[in-house]
């Protein structure tokens, strides 16, 4: 399960980096806390960070459940795809929000596979097969 621990920590580091970018954008664009709006470029950084938080809620538990019931190597591979998708999402969203779809798809598809695969794996184990 070490691979899952590594992927989980990388996902958290990615989230922290996005948080630092929000702080930098807050300073660069003169947005004082607690405001979360007022400059479109700041809001792009903020949305990347917040959306990543929303995705982590699905990603982390499903990564571990899938890894336990299906296999950690498959889970880790899907985790790498998720991490790359989040970076693509961030770059595209900050550059041009309307073009973020590729990053959304690349990071959401692994989440769906992890959730559904983990559920099927757990049911398979529960009901004996």
């Amino acid at each position: 399960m070490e691979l899952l621990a590594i992927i989980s920590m990388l996902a958290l580091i990615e989230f922290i980096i996005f948080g630092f970018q929000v702080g930098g954008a807050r300073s660069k664009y003169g947005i004082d806390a607690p405001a979360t709006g007022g400059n479109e470029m700041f809001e792009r950084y903020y949305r990347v960070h917040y959306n990543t938080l929303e995705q982590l809620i699905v990603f982390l538990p499903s990564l571990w459940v899938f890894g336990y019931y299906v296999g950690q190597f498959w889970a880790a591979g899907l985790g790498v795809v998720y991490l790359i998708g989040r970076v693509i999402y961030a770059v595209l969203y900050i550059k041009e929000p309307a073009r973020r779809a590729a990053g959304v798809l690349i990071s959401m598809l692994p989440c769906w596979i992890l959730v559904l695969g983990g559920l099927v794996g757990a049911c398979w184990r529960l009901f004996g097969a």
Side-chain angles (χ1 to χ4, degrees):
M1 299 306 252
E2 290 78 12
L3 287 175
L4 303 184
I6 291 167
I7 295 297
S8 296
M9 295 307 104
L10 289 174
L12 294 176
I13 289 168
E14 184 176 65
F15 178 69
I16 291 166
I17 290 169
F18 291 162
F20 283 134
Q21 290 177 331
V22 171
R26 186 177 291 283
S27 177
K28 180 177 181 178
Y29 300 110
I31 307 297
D32 295 326
T36 57
N39 178 284
E40 183 181 344
M41 287 306 296
F42 166 76
E43 291 171 11
R44 292 178 186 188
Y45 284 96
Y46 180 81
R47 286 301 310 152
V48 165
H49 186 244
Y50 196 86
N51 184 267
T52 300
L53 174 62
E54 294 168 344
Q55 291 297 311
L56 278 174
I57 293 168
V58 174
F59 174 69
L60 288 173
S62 65
L63 176 75
W64 284 87
V65 171
F66 186 99
Y68 181 78
Y69 288 108
V70 179
Q72 79 163 320
F73 293 106
W74 289 105
L78 289 165
V80 169
V81 174
Y82 166 86
L83 292 171
I84 292 168
R86 286 281 87 195
V87 170
I88 293 169
Y89 170 81
V91 169
L92 293 177
Y93 195 98
I94 291 166
K95 187 173 183 178
E96 180 58 49
R99 295 184 54 225
R100 72 191 185 278
V104 170
L105 184 61
I106 293 168
S107 58
M108 286 188 76
L109 185 59
C111 287
W112 275 104
I113 294 169
L114 290 168
V115 167
L116 295 175
L119 177 62
V120 168
C123 289
W124 192 268
R125 179 90 47 97
L126 177 65
F127 298 114

